[in-house]
Amino acid sequence: ALGLLMVGLCGINISLLPYDAMRLRNRLKMQATDFADAYVNLIVAPDTGFPLLNIKLSPDVKESCPFVGDGGCGVYPDRPSVCRGYPLGRAVRYEDDGSKIEHIMLIQEKHCRGFDEDRQMTPAAWFHDQGLEPYNEWNDRFLSIMARQKATGRKLDKNRAQMAYLSLYDPENFRNFIGHMGVFKRLDLTPEREAAIMSDSEALLAFGYDWMEMVLFGHSDGLKPKA
């Protein structure tokens, strides 16, 4: 079995998977390069070589989140999955046959006032209440790709790591790549999907996942080469 792939807090680091980053960029109306320069640190997953992002915390004693001000969270409707899930942590393990096992952990800290409430909720009810369901769906797709890469026993080389960053975190340059390299000419896509990929953030990210599966594993259920 593969090890746990955690979506959440690592110490004081706040991780951003591709869907998290997309929602924040759209909320802030920022291009990916500007967003990356201002708000994130790029790290590399040690077991797969995949690029990952952490929020760049403020260089003060509290190491506070740059999106939190006196009035609270300034990106609350599009806050990352780790913030939505807290005080629950969620991890996913992918078995050798591709099946998924979900693990839920309770993070009980004194400063969390939710523990003072009388109301009780199941993890599923909490995730629904916090709007986590689409985040979990998108994040699990990304984690499944990482798990498949881990199963090969090889880390991404430099070129594949750069392609992963381009297709998953850099939509403007990815669209430029698609056009410049004539990617659509090699794939069996409907005109409607082509148009959506070039105009809609979620359609582009879904294509990015499919594209990475093609690049890494030679096959994706979501893409077919032209005959």
Side-chain angles (χ1 to χ4, degrees):
L2 298 174
L4 291 180
L5 295 171
M6 183 68 182
V7 184
L9 293 170
C10 178
I12 57 172
N13 293 325
I14 303 174
S15 61
L16 296 179
L17 297 190
Y19 186 73
D20 295 309
M22 183 204 76
R23 290 282 296 259
L24 283 175
R25 287 193 310 266
N26 290 348
R27 162 65 50 174
L28 298 167
K29 295 180 172 57
M30 296 180 72
Q31 296 214 344
T33 51
D34 296 331
F35 174 78
D37 288 343
Y39 292 117
V40 302
N41 294 312
L42 175 65
I43 61 173
V44 176
D47 53 353
T48 63
F50 262 86
L52 301 170
L53 302 180
N54 282 343
I55 289 180
K56 189 184 300 181
L57 301 178
S58 300
D60 53 25
V61 175
K62 294 182 179 180
E63 294 187 303
S64 53
C65 174
F67 303 121
V68 176
D70 294 338
C73 177
V75 295
Y76 191 81
D78 296 285
R79 63 199 184 280
S81 49
V82 59
C83 304
R84 290 172 181 270
Y86 185 84
L88 295 182
R90 180 176 179 270
V92 171
R93 186 177 78 236
Y94 284 91
E95 300 289 352
D96 295 334
D97 62 1
S99 60
K100 179 179 72 175
I101 298 176
E102 184 181 54
H103 297 259
I104 306 296
M105 294 142 284
L106 179 64
I107 306 166
Q108 191 161 359
E109 298 178 302
K110 292 182 179 179
H111 60 77
C112 180
R113 296 183 179 179
F115 291 106
D116 298 330
E117 299 290 334
D118 293 331
R119 183 184 179 191
Q120 294 186 351
M121 302 178 73
T122 64
W126 176 248
F127 289 161
H128 178 74
D129 183 74
Q130 296 300 306
L132 258 168
E133 290 152 333
Y135 283 82
N136 289 345
E137 181 178 350
W138 284 93
N139 291 346
D140 288 357
R141 175 86 192 277
F142 176 66
L143 294 175
S144 71
I145 296 173
M146 288 184 65
R148 288 177 66 186
Q149 182 62 35
K150 183 177 179 180
T152 69
R154 301 186 302 271
K155 295 182 181 180
L156 299 187
D157 59 29
K158 181 179 179 180
N159 289 338
R160 285 180 171 82
Q162 289 176 342
M163 179 56 68
Y165 184 86
L166 178 71
S167 59
L168 303 176
Y169 292 110
D170 193 354
E172 294 84 22
N173 285 318
F174 188 37
R175 286 193 174 106
N176 291 338
F177 168 84
I178 291 169
H180 181 71
M181 299 301 294
V183 170
F184 289 162
K185 296 178 182 179
R186 293 178 273 156
L187 299 172
D188 186 10
L189 298 172
T190 65
E192 291 78 13
R193 188 178 180 195
E194 289 184 8
I197 289 167
M198 300 305 283
S199 62
D200 179 78
S201 297
E202 290 196 7
L204 180 64
L205 183 57
F207 177 76
Y209 286 159
D210 291 340
W211 178 253
M212 282 311 302
E213 288 179 337
M214 290 276 286
V215 168
L216 296 177
F217 315 119
H219 173 266
S220 173
D221 291 339
L223 288 181
K224 292 182 179 180
K226 282 186 176 176

